[in-house]
Amino acid sequence: MKIDLTDTTASKINNALVQGRRAIGTPAIGMVLTLVIVTDEEHAYDALKAANEASREHPSRKLVVIKRVSRSPRNRAQARLDAEVRVGTSAGTGETVVLRMYGEVMDHAQSVVLPLLLPDAPVVVWWPVGSPLNPEQDPLGALAQRRVTDTYAADEPVSELTARAANYAPGDTDLAWTRITPWRSMLAAALDQQPGIKVTGAEVEGEDCNPSGELLAMWLADRLGVPARRVVSEGPGLTAVRLETEDGVITLERTDGALARLSMKGHPDRAVALKRRDTAELLAEELRRLDPDTVYASTLKYGVERLADAPAPEPAPAPPAPEEARPAAPKKGASKKAAAK
């Protein structure tokens, strides 16, 4: 069920939510959190679709904040709030309110959102695009226990990591970090299979300007205390991680974005599922925990600029040529020119 409200208020929106629940015969809907999605009109559909899919695991009230900037000076000056209230099957699991703000209302979005928050429930704010440099200081971000951004959507993703580190506050997280959870789990499991092994270096291979690659290299460098390098590949996404150890190289390689191969000395090569996940899966993972992610904070503070200081590995010596492949020694008395040939 959908109820459209034009030039409305937060009070009327709350009344519409009650009316919608009664109309579908469900006066009470169990919801565990409020998810505030701050986006633009272009990305609103995809963001809401991902949030609806994630709500199957985390029933929530979803508040979509869209700031409508008009090119007309006349319309820009008109303060107005339009809303779509959705309940039932069209709202996923929970409720959805799409808020379109015009004029001065855009500067006071938190005043509109605050009365619509679920009482005594956590608040998560997600910026699919256009996230602020300091999410905690943002008026909407200040309402939340958890603030989700996506560095991959920034104009300069790798440079954005430096700003994230400078402005980090407990509760901040990044979907670029969430994307590497399976990689981190698989690498940790591989090291657990060889207890006591000493890692001397690490190399992360992936697409250029992919912040997940930088975060994975920073995580390895920070947790293992070894130099980490970034190598650019054609993708898709991350393609390989190599851990240099005293007993050989541990390699986790994924060339097709779905299936990876784990190779290490003393063990047969093993195929492992490592598919690229969609936004709904990433969001659902982030909503499972609302406490500060201290590992993410430590990784950010390691600093992306330190990856450039990691020394490149020395090339391995070429294996000796077989006897029959070696060039024959020049005969006695042969000229220097003939020997050169």
Side-chain angles (χ1 to χ4, degrees):
M1 179 179 181
K2 185 173 77 169
I3 302 173
D4 292 322
L5 301 172
T6 303
D7 197 8
T8 188
T9 64
S11 176
K12 293 178 181 178
I13 294 171
N14 269 319
N15 291 335
L17 285 168
V18 175
Q19 176 187 343
R21 287 196 297 266
R22 289 175 177 170
I24 64 173
T26 309
I29 300 176
M31 292 173 284
V32 298
L33 58 88
T34 302
L35 176 61
V36 182
I37 307 169
V38 187
T39 184
D40 54 21
E41 198 71 62
E42 179 183 354
H43 298 89
Y45 175 82
D46 290 336
L48 187 53
K49 181 181 178 182
N52 283 338
E53 292 179 15
S55 71
R56 297 173 184 172
E57 183 178 340
H58 309 278
S60 56
R61 174 176 289 179
K62 297 168 286 295
L63 305 177
V64 185
V65 177
I66 302 174
K67 298 181 179 181
R68 297 293 300 268
V69 180
S70 174
R71 296 181 180 180
S72 168
R74 179 183 175 186
N75 290 338
R76 189 180 297 119
Q78 294 176 349
R80 192 174 88 244
L81 172 64
D82 296 341
E84 293 178 20
V85 177
R86 305 177 187 177
V87 293
T89 56
S90 62
T93 305
E95 302 169 336
T96 298
V97 180
V98 181
L99 303 166
R100 290 184 171 85
M101 302 180 182
Y102 302 82
E104 293 181 359
V105 179
M106 295 189 297
D107 300 327
H108 305 281
Q110 72 279 9
S111 299
V112 177
V113 168
L114 186 60
L116 301 176
L117 302 178
L118 288 173
D120 302 322
V123 178
V124 178
V125 177
W126 172 36
W127 291 270
V129 293
S131 56
L133 288 179
N134 193 337
E136 186 195 32
Q137 297 299 321
D138 182 84
L140 288 172
L143 302 174
Q145 287 79 35
R146 193 78 161 163
R147 295 166 293 275
V148 183
T149 58
D150 192 351
T151 308
Y152 192 80
D155 293 334
E156 297 182 3
V158 177
S159 301
E160 190 83 2
L161 292 175
T162 303
R164 290 276 172 266
N167 298 310
Y168 173 82
D172 290 354
T173 191
D174 189 344
L175 293 186
W177 169 254
T178 318
R179 289 184 180 95
I180 63 174
T181 299
W183 288 85
R184 295 192 295 124
S185 300
M186 197 62 63
L187 292 170
L191 291 176
D192 286 343
Q193 294 180 35
Q194 299 186 350
I197 194 171
K198 184 178 180 181
V199 180
T200 58
E203 181 178 275
V204 176
E205 179 184 283
E207 289 176 321
D208 192 16
C209 297
N210 185 332
S212 295
E214 266 69 23
L215 283 169
L216 185 54
M218 290 156 61
W219 173 72
L220 290 168
D222 179 53
R223 308 308 288 183
L224 298 175
V226 299
R229 301 174 295 278
R230 267 287 277 125
V231 177
V232 176
S233 71
E234 294 183 359
L238 297 177
T239 51
V241 174
R242 300 176 186 89
L243 301 180
E244 301 154 16
T245 74
E246 296 174 333
D247 296 337
V249 179
I250 299 174
T251 302
L252 182 61
E253 186 175 19
R254 182 188 69 181
T255 56
D256 61 356
L259 194 65
R261 186 181 74 254
L262 178 63
S263 306
M264 64 179 94
K265 186 178 179 180
H267 297 266
D269 288 0
R270 184 155 52 100
V272 293
L274 203 62
K275 74 180 183 71
R276 303 185 73 193
R277 298 181 294 168
D278 59 24
T279 305
E281 292 178 87
L282 301 174
L283 185 60
E285 178 183 327
E286 283 302 331
L287 296 179
R288 289 182 199 130
R289 56 175 300 172
L290 299 176
D291 56 314
D293 191 339
T294 55
V295 178
Y296 169 65
S298 179
T299 299
L300 268 184
K301 292 176 182 177
Y302 177 85
V304 67
E305 66 280 353
R306 294 177 61 183
L307 296 178
D309 298 332
E314 296 182 2
E323 290 291 337
E324 61 273 12
R326 293 178 183 173
K331 296 180 180 180
K332 278 188 176 182
S335 65
K336 291 182 179 180
K337 182 176 180 182
K341 290 181 180 178

